[in-house]
Amino acid sequence: MTVLVGLSPRARDDAGGAVGLAARLARVWGEDLAVALVVTPGTADDAAPAWAAVEGVLAATGLDVRQDTVHGRSVAEALVAAAGEGGVSALVLGTDADRSGRIATRVARSSPVPVVLARGGGASVPGMPVHRVTCAFDGTTGAPAVLAAAADLARRSDASLRVASFAVRRGAAIPPEVGLDAEEPVIAEWTRQITAAQQEALDALGLEGVDAGVHVGASWDAAVHAADWTESDLLVVGGSPSAATRFFLGDRAGAILAAAPVPAVIVRA
């Protein structure tokens, strides 16, 4: 099996984060590493600057790296086609400047393999292990499938599994005369329901002793950061392949992805 990382012809020094993360995952999973330089109409065919930008990272991996050039009408089309080639287990991409993950989301909707979005500088160190895999559990009908994917990823990584659900307090949306205390019973009831759903999904998979929790904040960023994170963590979020691209992740999962302080694995639920 092979971990594939996508590289833009315009890649410069920051491209090393995605390549380093791909090398890290290849080591953890005992797989090969391949780098695909994406060329689309209107992009420069000269790959030398892009390869030079990641040369040092590739050399530091100590792995035999396959270097390919792939073509397509768009970045997403080229990467999906490359991911569909036999033996690819995951596709690693760098983050967008605005941390939206929009390119990764576009690719993930059609990708036959999970898409991993690079986040956090230290998390891209090639030799770093994966100690914990966190499943972002939203309680929807697709949540058990996302949990199953996260559990499999934890097993492959020889890592522990954690289940986390996130929510935001409405705050300013509540009229002052009502008071913020009026929201607490709603949050408490949602917490009870999502906790029960977490346990039901874990029981269905025969998983015991899994760390599970609920994290609430004044914003999605605050809620996500309310959970403790380390550089050796991975986050798993799920999307619906039947939805239009811009709705693939949904508001909740998209916001969690944007706030994630660690690499995020996008799976199709």
Side-chain angles (χ1 to χ4, degrees):
M1 300 298 287
T2 300
V3 176
L4 178 67
V5 56
L7 185 66
S8 166
R10 300 186 180 92
R12 294 299 180 263
D13 293 343
D14 59 347
V19 175
L21 174 60
R24 173 190 173 197
L25 296 178
R27 281 185 175 278
V28 169
W29 298 338
E31 299 182 359
D32 297 326
L33 174 64
V35 182
L37 181 77
V38 180
V39 176
T40 58
T43 61
D45 289 325
D46 183 11
W51 290 122
V54 297
E55 182 179 9
V57 177
L58 291 175
T61 66
L63 300 170
D64 291 330
V65 183
R66 190 181 80 238
Q67 300 180 1
D68 300 321
T69 299
V70 297
H71 296 78
R73 291 175 298 178
S74 68
V75 172
E77 178 188 85
L79 288 173
V80 169
E85 296 183 358
V88 174
S89 65
L91 173 61
V92 180
L93 301 176
T95 187
D96 306 313
D98 61 1
R99 294 182 62 83
S100 65
R102 63 185 182 280
I103 294 177
T105 300
R106 196 174 302 131
V107 174
R109 184 179 181 275
S110 302
S111 174
V113 299
V115 172
V116 187
L117 184 60
R119 288 281 165 80
S124 297
V125 176
M128 179 180 290
V130 174
H131 285 146
R132 181 173 58 184
V133 174
T134 297
C135 172
F137 188 92
D138 62 6
T140 62
T141 56
V146 177
L147 177 58
D152 181 65
L153 188 61
R155 178 190 56 78
R156 290 170 55 202
S157 306
D158 194 23
S160 63
L161 175 65
R162 175 173 68 167
V163 183
S165 297
F166 305 96
V168 173
R169 286 187 171 88
R170 291 176 295 167
I174 300 177
E177 60 271 19
V178 174
L180 293 179
D181 289 344
E183 189 177 14
E184 292 307 315
V186 176
I187 293 175
E189 177 59 19
W190 176 82
T191 298
R192 185 192 66 77
Q193 293 179 2
I194 199 71
T195 300
Q198 289 176 348
Q199 191 58 55
E200 181 180 354
L202 288 169
D203 290 343
L205 293 172
L207 298 173
E208 299 179 351
V210 175
D211 180 17
V214 176
H215 307 278
V216 181
S219 65
W220 286 112
D221 189 74
V224 171
H225 283 80
D228 65 292
W229 301 96
T230 71
E231 291 182 336
S232 60
D233 285 349
L234 290 180
L235 172 66
V236 177
V237 299
S240 172
S242 62
T245 299
R246 70 192 187 106
F247 300 120
F248 172 67
L249 285 178
D251 292 341
R252 181 186 298 266
I256 292 170
L257 180 66
V262 298
V265 183
I266 307 172
V267 300
R268 298 166 67 189

